[in-house]
Amino acid sequence: MAYKKAFKMSPFREQLHEVIYEADTPGGKVFDVTLLVTIVASVIVVMLESVDSIGARFTRLFFVLEWIFTIFFTIEYILRLYCIQKPWKYALSFFGIIDLLAILPSFLGLLLAGEQRYLVVIRALRLLRVFRIFKLAKFLSQSRIIVQALQNSKEKIFVFLIFVLLMTTIFGSIMYLVEGDNNPQFANIPISIYWAIVTLTTVGYGDISPITPFGQFLAAAVMIMGYAVIAVPTGIVSAELINADDSLPTNTQACRSCSQEGHDDDADYCKHCGEKL
């Protein structure tokens, strides 16, 4: 693979990139820990504001704090875009989308009436950065193994879900034919399919229940089959976990060009875009 010439940054952007993206530097760790504390504080504020007695008493304080957090996260988001060569790579990444969603509700609240501000609890997803910040390599490696196992088994799980949907459609339709004339709870096939889904997944709300002997027999059969529904995907994922590669990289260095992480410890170039690390 032919690697391209290293992207040249100004000293200021270089230093800014190290602070914002490099969790293994002193400045980067201080920045990220501060960011985590701010995220936790902002989520707590939103939760407290949703409590009527507390929200009514401290309305002005919560409003001021929310905009302080929003301005802080907005500046952080802009700086993340500024200090990499390809800002759109970060903007379309998982954390880039989460970071954008973390600040949008506050601005939407200025234009739209409603409770959009409570959507800022999505900031809690940003706490996933804790695995990178504190370099919990063991946990980071194990989380990647789980992700790899899910990716490897996605086709099998998809086929299994299709099979489950077919089963619930069939059982729901049969239950409608059996119970429809005698039980107003099974008024139509969609409601009967809802019952089949609730019963097959062993949730068992009990809001709809059969009253005819054959309907009760069919319900018992669906309940027993529900245990297989739990066992099958568990077995699929477990088999992939056994075969998963436990030597996945845990390096936290971020590429200056595309902001991607997960490089090998001895890597000199980004494996995603070819930029020199």
Side-chain angles (χ1 to χ4, degrees), residues 117-244:
R117 64 186 185 278
Y118 293 130
L119 295 177
V120 297
V121 294
I122 200 171
R123 290 172 184 166
L125 290 176
R126 303 188 73 195
L127 293 174
L128 293 173
R129 294 182 188 274
V130 70
F131 292 105
R132 180 178 68 90
I133 293 168
F134 293 110
K135 297 191 70 176
L136 301 178
K138 177 181 179 181
F139 298 102
L140 185 60
S141 175
Q142 297 305 314
S143 67
R144 285 176 174 164
I145 289 176
I146 294 175
V147 171
Q148 183 188 50
L150 291 174
Q151 289 177 339
N152 293 341
S153 58
K154 60 184 178 182
E155 291 86 1
K156 297 176 184 176
I157 293 178
F158 177 76
V159 172
F160 174 74
L161 290 177
I162 294 297
F163 176 72
V164 170
L165 289 176
L166 291 174
M167 288 176 57
T168 54
T169 302
I170 293 172
F171 283 125
S173 301
I174 293 175
M175 188 62 75
Y176 169 72
L177 295 175
V178 173
E179 294 282 325
D181 295 334
N182 303 310
N183 191 343
Q185 291 180 320
F186 293 87
N188 51 57
I189 292 180
I191 291 179
S192 301
I193 292 177
Y194 159 78
W195 167 86
I197 294 174
V198 170
T199 305
L200 190 65
T201 55
T202 70
V203 176
Y205 290 136
D207 53 342
I208 302 177
S209 58
I211 59 176
T212 65
F214 185 74
Q216 292 173 345
F217 170 79
L218 184 61
V222 175
M223 293 175 195
I224 294 174
M225 292 182 64
Y227 288 101
V229 170
I230 298 175
V232 172
T234 303
I236 293 174
V237 177
S238 297
E240 293 295 339
L241 283 173
I242 295 175
N243 298 324

Side-chain angles (χ1 to χ4, degrees), residues 51-100:
V51 180
D52 292 337
S53 59
I54 301 177
R57 184 177 179 183
F58 301 101
T59 301
R60 186 173 182 80
L61 174 62
F62 288 150
F63 178 82
V64 173
L65 288 175
E66 177 52 37
W67 276 105
I68 291 176
F69 294 138
T70 298
I71 293 172
F72 175 81
F73 293 135
T74 301
I75 294 174
E76 179 229 348
Y77 180 74
I78 294 173
L79 290 178
R80 286 184 181 275
L81 295 175
Y82 168 73
C83 65
I84 56 176
Q85 181 185 16
K86 300 175 181 177
W88 60 272
K89 285 277 190 180
Y90 167 73
L92 296 178
S93 67
F94 172 76
F95 277 117
I97 295 173
I98 293 300
D99 291 348
L100 180 61

